[in-house]
Amino acid sequence: MSTAPDLAALRRRAIDAAQRAYAPYSSLKVGAALQSASGAVYTGCNVENAAYPIGGCAERAAIASAVQAEGAAFRLAAIAVAAFARDAEALPVSPCGACRQALVEFGPAAQVSFRQPDGSWVEVEADALLPWRFVLPER
Ligand code: THU
């Protein structure tokens, strides 16, 4: 089943998810909220670690939550991402390269929106965020 994504609701959920980020090292609190093709919403936040490279991004945390709930059938319809400083100042954010690869895995046509400090949202199709993405060759 496919439900038209409720972008306004997703964006609110992304802002809310950012409040729960664990980001003591970068002080960048990132939240993501995605809508599955099933209509369900899943959220994630970044989770950092004293061993810096093992920290994880908000987008992939939300994807992990969706796959945990829906299994391999999960398809991404839309995702919203927002970021804030520790003092709650809104900061610009755009999905990192690894997250872009993860987004297109589950929904090349997904609607991706990310928040700007003035409160506006950039909206782009996942596919357009990562031209020439890696595709596992079939033989
Ligand atoms: N971060 C995300 O959560 N998503 C992105 O797409 C970019 C970066 C997080 C990772 C790290 O905890 C912090 O932002 C600074 O890089």
Side-chain angles (χ1 to χ4, degrees):
M1 189 193 71
S2 180
T3 309
D6 182 346
L7 294 185
L10 272 189
R11 291 167 177 178
R12 282 194 299 273
R13 295 284 299 270
I15 290 168
D16 186 51
Q19 311 314 314
R20 294 186 294 284
Y22 179 71
Y25 304 104
S26 73
S27 294
L28 184 67
K29 300 170 74 171
V30 185
L34 70 79
Q35 187 166 324
S36 153
S38 73
V41 172
Y42 304 94
T43 61
C45 61
N46 56 331
V47 180
E48 297 184 347
N49 193 279
Y52 293 178
I54 74 165
C57 290
E59 297 92 323
R60 280 175 288 151
I63 288 172
S65 176
V67 173
Q68 169 66 34
E70 299 192 3
F74 163 63
R75 302 304 300 161
L76 178 68
I79 185 166
V81 190
F84 300 88
R86 226 199 304 254
D87 66 2
E89 179 194 357
L91 294 173
V93 66
S94 160
C96 78
C99 287
R100 292 174 190 213
Q101 184 77 36
L103 296 178
V104 293
E105 176 83 15
F106 294 99
Q111 294 171 263
V112 182
S113 40
F114 39 95
R115 196 169 188 267
Q116 302 302 290
D118 66 0
S120 66
W121 293 80
V122 174
E123 220 189 304
V124 61
E125 203 167 277
D127 210 25
L129 277 176
L130 194 61
W132 291 99
R133 66 180 178 272
F134 175 73
V135 178
L136 190 65
E138 283 177 31
R139 331 185 20 175

